[in-house]
Amino acid sequence: MVRTSPLVFDGHNDTLLDLLNDRSGDRSFFEASDRGHLDLPRAQEAGFGGGFFALFVPGEGDLDPVATDDGYEVPYSPPVRPDYAAAVTDELLDLLATIESDAAGKVRIARTAAELRDCFEAGSLVALPHLEGAEAVRPDLSNLTDLYDAGVRSIGLVWSRENAFGHGVPFRCPASPDIGPGLTDAGRDLVRACNDLGIVVDCAHLNERGFWDVADLSNAPLVVTHTAAHALCPSSRNLTDDQLDAVADAGGVVGVTFGVSALRPDGAFDPDTPLSVLADHVEYVADRLGPEHVALGSDFDGAMIPDPLGDVRGLPALFDELRSRGFDEEALEKIAHDNWFRVLEETLTA
Ligand SMILES: [Zn+2]
């Protein structure tokens, strides 16, 4: 089979939680399903070679958007208890380890950048374990090396809620990401500790003051695994032009999310969204920062994505859309995986 689009390493998915929550038990990572967005057979068909796999701890908040005069907001999610977060994180890590051992080499957990590239190029689906929200890390960081030893190589400081380390942005549109104070002392310590250990610090969902704190403190390339351009969709979860510029200045990368509420100019949760709206964000970031600083951060199994994409098998159609806008194959390879690999090679030590 001749591959017609580049192999993808992706900035974000929530597939592990979706599998864990699958009480009916009829969804397996090893069988193509008509539910969800991602499993091994569909990934292989689509040219999805791996990505950050989120270890996300769901909270108790109600996530239904409430209409406002000019858009919507979702009530701010309450914090989650750290011991509960640690238990869920362990369950998700166990699930990923089980998938790896059942996969007979077809799925590999990457612990170093070299391992990641080797497995990716050998055709395994590679998973980089990522905490989406650092609630499982004790505020005194006493279990951070345990999480590192368990395979965690990327930490998003916050989800859309507050924790011991910082403040997340709520789901709100139109709204600025400049909501609330910057990182706590524990958050600043966590950034330095991640730099020392070689763990990615992800600024996705971090409020703007927290973002600037990371930009000041971190000695690694700035990373935002799944977000979009505030100039095109004024969601509080998106990056302003100044934030985008800071990512490029720090040699980092922005993963463009496929979540429609972060892409559409009206911010609506409406899957009837053409692929061109997603491509607009990729093009905007590439035009502003250069193609070295844009990548994909799908949010498969974690967000409502455009109907024309459907699931992971829609990736080739996205590349066709980008080709039609003048992106050449070299730029598409960067966006598809090379930019993530560059940043991970600079960030993951060992
Ligand atoms: Zn997210």
Side-chain angles (χ1 to χ4, degrees):
M1 187 179 75
V2 179
R3 187 178 302 289
T4 55
S5 68
L7 201 54
V8 168
F9 185 84
D10 174 53
H12 192 83
N13 73 69
D14 280 305
T15 301
L16 292 173
L17 183 65
D18 210 52
L19 290 167
L20 192 71
N21 281 342
D22 180 29
R23 305 282 176 221
S24 62
D26 62 3
R27 195 173 167 208
S28 156
F29 193 66
F30 298 105
E31 287 168 23
S33 173
D34 54 7
R35 293 175 34 218
H37 300 145
L38 179 63
D39 44 50
L40 185 59
R42 284 186 286 176
Q44 289 171 330
E45 185 181 335
F48 178 99
F52 293 69
F53 274 62
L55 313 167
F56 174 64
V57 179
E60 295 152 331
D62 182 357
L63 290 179
D64 287 336
V66 179
T68 57
D69 284 348
D70 52 355
Y72 73 89
E73 65 180 328
V74 172
Y76 201 53
S77 293
V80 296
R81 286 181 295 109
D83 52 346
Y84 161 72
V88 175
T89 300
D90 283 347
E91 273 190 274
L92 292 165
L93 279 166
D94 284 350
L95 174 60
L96 182 57
T98 302
I99 289 172
E100 184 189 42
S101 66
D102 289 349
K106 294 194 180 77
V107 179
R108 295 287 304 277
I109 301 170
R111 288 169 183 268
T112 66
E115 202 169 62
L116 190 155
R117 195 183 273 278
D118 288 349
C119 294
F120 185 84
E121 286 174 356
S124 299
L125 189 153
V126 288
L128 192 82
H130 163 78
L131 294 186
E132 184 172 25
E135 283 89 347
V137 180
R138 290 191 203 117
D140 66 1
L141 313 187
S142 57
N143 66 336
L144 184 62
T145 51
D146 295 340
L147 287 162
Y148 181 87
D149 291 343
V152 172
R153 290 294 179 275
S154 173
I155 296 180
L157 299 177
V158 294
W159 185 64
S160 285
R161 61 194 172 208
E162 177 187 342
N163 64 25
F165 306 100
H167 293 73
V169 281
F171 292 80
R172 194 178 291 165
C173 187
S176 162
D178 188 9
I179 296 167
L183 299 185
T184 63
D185 288 346
R188 304 167 77 83
D189 289 344
L190 179 55
V191 172
R192 293 187 195 97
C194 286
N195 283 170
D196 290 347
L197 277 170
I199 296 176
V200 173
V201 176
D202 175 21
C203 296
H205 312 324
L206 189 57
N207 67 349
E208 190 173 347
R209 278 175 240 182
F211 173 93
W212 292 118
D213 285 343
V214 176
D216 284 345
L217 276 171
S218 179
N219 61 23
L222 270 181
V223 160
V224 191
T225 56
H226 56 302
T227 185
H230 198 271
L232 301 185
C233 167
S235 163
S236 51
R237 289 161 67 91
N238 286 342
L239 298 183
T240 65
D241 286 347
D242 285 349
Q243 289 178 293
L244 289 172
D245 294 346
V247 172
D249 290 346
V253 70
V254 174
V256 174
T257 182
F258 299 177
V260 293
S261 66
L263 298 174
R264 298 170 56 94
D266 63 3
F269 289 84
D270 182 355
D272 184 13
T273 298
L275 267 182
S276 60
V277 174
L278 167 54
D280 286 345
H281 284 263
V282 176
E283 188 174 5
Y284 183 86
V285 180
D287 282 351
R288 188 171 181 95
L289 309 185
E292 299 72 37
H293 301 292
V294 59
L296 305 179
S298 69
D299 214 345
F300 284 137
D301 287 326
M304 180 188 289
I305 67 173
D307 274 344
L309 203 65
D311 60 24
V312 66
R313 292 170 297 182
L315 284 170
L318 172 61
F319 289 114
D320 285 343
E321 171 75 23
L322 293 171
R323 274 188 201 99
S324 77
R325 295 173 179 224
F327 284 83
D328 61 19
E329 297 307 310
E330 190 185 341
L332 293 182
E333 293 272 329
K334 287 179 182 172
I335 293 166
H337 59 260
D338 272 344
N339 291 334
W340 277 129
F341 287 0
R342 179 193 79 239
V343 163
L344 292 168
E345 274 157 14
E346 289 178 36
T347 306
L348 306 182
T349 50

